[in-house]
Structures are given as structure tokens and as C-alpha cells.
Amino acid sequence: AGEWPFAAVSIATVVSVQSRDPTTTSPPPTTAATPAASAPGTTPPSAGGPPLVVAAPSRCAVAGGTTVMLSLSKLPALPATAPTTLFAPNSSPAASAFISSSAVAVTCPPSSQASQAQGQVLGPDGAVLAVFAFAYVVPPPSLSPSRVLLLGGLVDLSISGSPPPALPPTCAVKVRGVLADVISSDSSPTAALVRFRAPRLTQPGPANVTLDCMPDLSLSLEYGALPSVGHLSTPAPAGCVAWQPCAVSLSILA
């Protein structure tokens, strides 16, 4: 009989605590599921359309000729034959070749203008299998070779454009202020080409190349010093004999 007061208080306390705790009677809130993020290099599933694949490199000169690798690992299924590729809306379809089970190599064709657009990978039936970001760019003017000896030599000057500049036949080339002989002047859909003979100079170092028909154009042609003979040795003791084969050791100092 002496234990009942303690038991009664204990039971009342438990009931009182349970009645004040709302978490025991309210269900947990429902949280909406968050859609999984799209994997890098692919378009979100909700966007629809073909997947976005990677092109390396992702740009080509308007003259074309760059080999581009396309990774097709994101495609649901690879075609049995290598797909064709459109690099830009105004470009011609280019054939590709498989270089692995999930990649193709394709050479970008010339383009009539610089652009930044979405390329397309096409299946045998012309359907778009994938798309990729690609740009055609106009490279800066260049000299080839960019270095000659003090004796001078033939140099090709290339000026790309979209379209390229039209150079008059009388356009003169000067190197460090010295008039150069123009061998030929031609143009293609993507570049103006001038071949000239760099004049002979006396001092090595960079030389400014200019065109009188394009005052804003200025390029640098490096002139290198002529090599010199550091050591010459002939067979001992008499040296070489006239009209007879002779081995000579010669060292050149660049």
C-alpha cells in the first residue's frame, strides 16, 4: 500500500509529457524530390534534343585544315559507320573516322566567314545525333618562315580575312625600310598571299615588315647572323691532293 502514491505520480507524469509532444502525433513533412543534375557535357533531359558533346579543339581557322576530335561517349548508341559532321551552318559536311570505340576524328573544311555556332554530328540518315560548340576564327597575319639569315630569302606573307583583303598588284613590301622583291601576289577565299624575297641586311635582329597598301599592318621578321667556320682540318701531313677524294672536317659556329 505504501508504493501506490509513487506509482500514480509516475504514470501521470508520463501521460502529461506525451500529450505535450507534437512530434509523436504529426507525420514528418513531405519533401519534393530534387531532380538529379545533368552530367557535364550533356544537355539536361528536360531540354530535349540531341546531347552536347565535346570537340577538341573547339575552333578552326577559316582556311580549315585542323583535325578535330569528337567524343561520342554520351550518345545512347554509336552508329555502325562513322558519322558526318557540320561545323557551321554555312560549311560542307565533313567525313569522319573512328579513332576509338567512342571518338571520331574529322578535319574542319574551309569556311567563307568567321562564326561561332553549334556544330552537328549527323547519322547515315541525316538525323542529328549530337551537337557541339565550335567557332571559325580569322588568324592574325603571319610570315613563313619567321626567321631568315642576313643574306635574306623567300618569305610568304599570309593575311586571312572573311573575306580577305584585296591587295593591288602594285602593293610594295618593305623590310626595315628596304624595298623587297615581290615574287607573287595571290588570294584564296580565306586569305591573301604575298611571296617576297627578304632583302640582304647587315645587322641581325628583328626587322619590321610593312605593306604600303596596308599602313596599319606591321609584322616582325627575325634576321639571324651568318654562321662562321670555327675549325677546318684536312688529312695530315700533305692535306688534300688535287682531283682525289678528300675528307675534310668542318665545324660551323651558328
Side-chain angles (χ1 to χ4, degrees):
E3 295 179 354
W4 274 108
F6 174 78
V9 172
S10 176
I11 294 174
T13 303
V14 172
V15 173
S16 175
V17 170
Q18 290 179 346
S19 64
R20 290 196 303 266
D21 189 357
T23 61
T24 61
T25 58
S26 300
T30 302
T31 303
T34 302
S38 301
T42 61
T43 53
S46 59
L52 179 67
V53 298
V54 176
S58 60
R59 60 176 52 198
C60 175
V62 291
T66 300
T67 299
V68 179
M69 307 297 177
L70 295 173
S71 173
L72 305 182
S73 59
K74 300 300 181 183
L75 267 64
L78 291 175
T81 58
T84 56
T85 304
L86 283 177
F87 283 94
N90 62 338
S91 66
S92 302
S96 62
F98 279 111
I99 58 174
S100 72
S101 59
S102 61
V104 294
V106 57
T107 301
C108 60
S111 176
S112 60
Q113 62 183 15
S115 64
Q116 187 164 359
Q118 194 175 68
Q120 297 179 336
V121 181
L122 307 179
D125 58 353
V128 179
L129 303 178
V131 295
F132 58 94
F134 199 79
Y136 273 100
V137 297
V138 177
S142 62
L143 297 173
S144 180
S146 59
R147 185 179 187 274
V148 296
L149 295 177
L150 288 174
L151 292 176
L154 292 178
V155 178
D156 290 326
L157 169 61
S158 176
I159 308 173
S160 298
S162 179
L167 301 180
T170 56
C171 187
V173 180
K174 292 183 178 180
V175 181
R176 203 180 282 173
V178 179
L179 190 65
D181 293 332
V182 176
I183 307 301
S184 63
S185 181
D186 199 1
S187 63
S188 69
T190 58
L193 306 172
V194 178
R195 171 166 288 190
F196 64 93
R197 187 179 299 279
R200 181 171 182 166
L201 298 180
T202 58
Q203 294 296 325
N208 197 31
V209 178
T210 59
L211 299 177
D212 62 355
C213 58
M214 297 184 67
D216 295 334
L217 178 66
S218 179
L219 299 173
S220 179
L221 179 64
E222 184 72 20
Y223 272 80
L226 293 173
S228 59
V229 177
H231 178 73
L232 176 64
S233 61
T234 58
C240 295
V241 179
W243 311 111
Q244 297 295 324
C246 182
V248 177
S249 175
L250 179 68
S251 62
I252 302 296
L253 301 179

